[in-house]
Amino acid sequence: MTWAGFFVAFCITWVTVWCENTLPIKCIQGDGTDENAQDCAGDFATATQCSQPKFVQYTGISPDVPYSCGPCSEEQEGVTCESCEGSSTEACNTKKEPGEDFNCHDYEYVDGAFKIKEEPTVCQRLLDTEIKCNMPGENAGEHYETKKRGCGDCPYMERQAGQCVQCDTEQCNRTPIKCMQGNDADATPRMCVPLAGEDPPTVCHRPKLKEYTGFPKDQGYGCGPCPSGATDETCETCEGNTTSACNTKMEIGRNFKCKKYKKKDDAFIVDDSDETTTVTCWRFESTKMLCNKPSEAAEALSQYEVGNHCGPCETDEKASGICEETDPVPIKCNVGQGIIKNSEACIRSSDDQDIPIKCHQTKFIQYFGLAEDVDTYGCGECPAGKEDKCQECFGNTDNPCNKEIPTGNDYTCYDYEYNTKGKKFVKKEEMVICQRLNKTAPKCNMPGKNATAASDYENSGCGGCTEAEMAAVTCSECGTVQCNTGHTHSIVAAFILPLFCCLFVVMSYR
């Protein structure tokens, strides 16, 4: 480029910039009905910015804010109004293109719960804005306010706190159903949050127990239909509701064990090919505990097939005499009294009796000792009439569950009785011996200041007070051996009174 050409280009650029800086900018003006850009004149002839009403997502255009020359006021900027840098060639405050309106539900707190209002909220959005609805979450308190009357998404912190739940289809924020969710061990009832792009679920699912076989692996509790890959034999659904989970954990009976068998050298023997010779059998509460095994006649017949040995024989195998039904492998319980007890297999005494699944023993009452004079152990549930002095545990086939209860060292506490003449509680001369479980801290109790009648305090001195006694101040407890002396105030007075006397004498001589 020659020097002449460079000079001409410089002049053109300078003139263009000068013109743009001296010509008025163009803005859309008024209520927005006229979308043509107009020169800013009069008081706004030197304006460098245009302004327009702010479009608030999911709420719409801010009312009573015009399109105009000049910036927004400081109070309105970014709230109901927004400014833009002006140009002499075109308006910067053009109307934003809206998307299609949609509806979301609004909520109100009535009678201790959030309920949907009758009329849905009309939600407004820009063209590229996604549909979003929100609703109160499980942790929303009674003072929680639904955001934007149900339109739009949740604030991050409220979503993380479980106070707000969001979804992304029209009117998806219906009161969600509740379903048990998680694996068997940690499944808890929770609200079903709709998945992205999907309608809220209306059913819950849970694993299905196959009798004698158990629950399928990798099949949990959740919202919606059964997951892909599940079958009618492994999963089942139920109609959900908003108050409680319909897919509650299935009530099942206690598992039992059956011996395993295998065929070797044309004979059936107990299968000891792995660490155990038994198989665990699952059942419903009402299912009879029963095992099956090959009979002696089965050795000569090839049609007998070894199964898992849980449950009764197949009808045809039982009819042909190649299968026998037996009781499960019995549980083991300690049986006897005191130190004279032995581990024994628990079998039923007759065909019309249930197979024992529990062991029992004399109950140990904390701070008082055994509920009976003799520590008794046995098979089955507690004997009738002794439920308050006996405790049970579910047995197993390996070791007794009703083991000797480990206890700590005995200790002593003071005991009290009501003196009818003095009308107050007095300490007995003889202390009471307290017994406790192992690793349990000693604890004593004594009459409280509101214990003014014999019926107000009837404890022995061992252990603590009940919550009701503590609230009524009829009982006071402490946490060391023989701590319930009842002389706390006297000891304090005996120490403090002489101290005050000495102080008085010293002050008198000053």
Side-chain angles (χ1 to χ4, degrees):
M1 178 184 291
T2 63
W3 282 104
F6 176 80
F7 181 76
V8 170
F10 172 80
C11 290
I12 293 174
T13 302
W14 184 85
V15 169
T16 301
V17 171
W18 182 84
C19 289
E20 287 183 352
N21 289 334
T22 55
L23 293 175
I25 63 171
K26 294 181 180 292
C27 298
I28 295 175
Q29 302 172 42
D31 60 5
T33 303
D34 184 359
E35 297 185 34
N36 294 315
Q38 301 177 33
D39 290 338
C40 293
D43 294 339
F44 297 101
T46 59
T48 61
Q49 290 182 309
C50 304
S51 60
Q52 67 186 109
K54 182 179 176 65
F55 189 98
V56 180
Q57 283 288 25
Y58 302 113
T59 301
I61 290 287
S62 300
D64 303 323
V65 177
Y67 291 81
S68 67
C69 298
C72 305
S73 66
E74 290 185 5
E75 295 80 12
Q76 289 182 314
E77 183 66 66
V79 181
T80 59
C81 177
E82 53 188 3
S83 306
C84 57
E85 293 299 322
S87 166
S88 61
T89 57
E90 58 183 3
C92 64
N93 61 340
T94 54
K95 279 189 173 182
K96 291 182 169 57
E97 188 173 359
E100 186 177 351
D101 292 349
F102 63 96
N103 292 338
C104 290
H105 295 290
D106 193 8
Y107 283 79
E108 59 185 343
Y109 194 82
V110 180
D111 298 330
F114 285 99
K115 297 182 179 179
I116 291 179
K117 294 182 179 180
E118 291 186 8
E119 291 296 324
T121 303
V122 177
C123 310
Q124 301 179 52
R125 57 178 174 143
L126 295 176
L127 184 62
D128 297 328
T129 301
E130 297 178 345
I131 293 176
K132 295 278 187 183
C133 297
N134 71 82
M135 56 189 161
E138 285 184 293
N139 298 333
E142 60 179 300
H143 301 296
Y144 179 83
E145 293 185 5
T146 305
K147 299 298 174 284
K148 296 181 181 179
R149 298 174 57 204
C151 299
D153 49 7
C154 300
Y156 175 79
M157 295 300 293
E158 291 185 6
R159 190 170 75 250
Q160 292 297 106
Q163 297 174 331
C164 183
V165 176
Q166 66 186 44
C167 51
D168 56 8
T169 56
E170 185 168 12
Q171 292 188 326
C172 60
N173 61 337
R174 298 189 297 270
T175 305
I177 64 172
K178 288 186 177 181
C179 295
M180 298 288 289
Q181 300 176 48
N183 296 320
D184 182 59
D186 60 355
T188 54
R190 301 197 302 271
M191 292 172 60
C192 293
V193 179
L195 297 176
E198 296 184 8
D199 291 330
T202 59
V203 298
C204 306
H205 67 264
R206 69 177 179 184
K208 191 173 184 179
L209 176 69
K210 186 177 182 181
E211 195 170 37
Y212 299 121
T213 302
F215 289 102
K217 294 181 179 179
D218 304 324
Q219 175 63 60
Y221 296 77
C223 304
C226 291
S228 176
T231 66
D232 292 341
E233 293 184 352
T234 61
C235 180
E236 59 186 357
T237 60
C238 56
E239 290 296 323
N241 62 80
T242 59
T243 56
S244 60
C246 65
N247 61 337
T248 54
K249 293 183 179 180
M250 188 177 295
E251 294 294 330
I252 60 174
R254 182 71 176 174
N255 295 344
F256 62 97
K257 291 186 176 182
C258 294
K259 287 186 177 180
K260 298 186 298 183
Y261 290 84
K262 66 180 179 179
K263 194 168 186 179
K264 182 179 181 181
D265 299 331
D266 295 329
F268 287 99
I269 62 173
V270 174
D271 186 355
D272 57 357
S273 57
D274 53 19
E275 295 181 358
T276 176
T277 59
T278 61
V279 60
T280 300
C281 308
W282 297 70
R283 67 186 182 100
F284 296 108
E285 188 68 43
S286 58
T287 301
K288 185 178 181 179
M289 293 189 292
L290 203 61
C291 302
N292 68 82
K293 69 173 186 177
S295 66
E296 292 182 3
E299 295 181 6
L301 300 173
S302 60
Q303 65 265 36
Y304 181 85
E305 294 183 4
V306 176
N308 69 356
H309 300 292
C310 296
C313 297
E314 296 291 339
T315 304
D316 57 339
E317 291 182 343
K318 185 176 181 180
S320 63
I322 63 173
C323 180
E324 293 180 2
E325 293 175 353
T326 64
D327 285 344
V329 178
I331 64 170
K332 290 182 179 180
C333 294
N334 280 320
V335 179
Q337 292 185 335
I339 61 173
I340 306 174
K341 57 183 181 294
N342 297 298
S343 173
E344 296 183 8
C346 298
I347 60 175
R348 53 181 173 180
S349 55
S350 62
D351 291 341
D352 60 345
Q353 296 292 318
D354 291 331
I355 299 169
I357 60 173
K358 292 182 178 181
C359 306
H360 70 265
Q361 67 189 109
T362 304
K363 181 183 292 184
F364 186 94
I365 301 174
Q366 184 71 292
Y367 299 114
F368 296 96
L370 292 172
E372 292 185 310
D373 293 336
V374 181
D375 195 5
T376 304
Y377 300 82
C379 294
E381 298 177 351
C382 290
K386 291 193 174 184
E387 291 81 4
D388 60 332
K389 299 179 180 180
C390 175
Q391 62 188 40
E392 304 170 348
C393 56
F394 281 106
N396 58 76
T397 60
D398 300 321
N399 298 299
C401 63
N402 58 339
K403 299 177 182 179
E404 185 174 347
I405 299 173
T407 58
N409 295 329
D410 294 348
Y411 66 98
T412 54
C413 290
Y414 291 101
D415 196 6
Y416 286 80
E417 62 183 349
Y418 188 73
N419 186 297
T420 55
K421 292 183 179 180
K423 294 185 178 181
K424 63 179 181 179
F425 284 94
V426 294
K427 186 172 59 176
K428 293 181 181 180
E429 291 185 7
E430 187 175 350
M431 288 185 288
V432 62
I433 297 175
C434 310
Q435 300 180 54
R436 53 179 169 153
L437 295 174
N438 192 29
K439 298 182 180 180
T440 300
K443 188 179 287 188
C444 300
N445 70 81
M446 55 190 164
K449 67 177 183 179
N450 291 344
T452 56
S455 59
D456 292 338
Y457 177 83
E458 298 176 344
N459 298 342
S460 69
C462 292
C465 308
T466 65
E467 290 185 7
E469 290 171 340
M470 294 285 282
V473 200
T474 57
C475 178
S476 175
E477 64 181 44
C478 50
T480 57
V481 175
Q482 299 177 13
C483 59
N484 59 338
T485 60
H487 296 308
T488 305
H489 299 296
S490 301
I491 293 172
V492 172
F495 176 75
I496 296 295
L497 187 58
L499 184 63
F500 270 107
C501 290
C502 293
L503 183 62
F504 177 76
V505 171
V506 171
M507 295 299 292
S508 300
Y509 281 97
R510 295 188 65 179

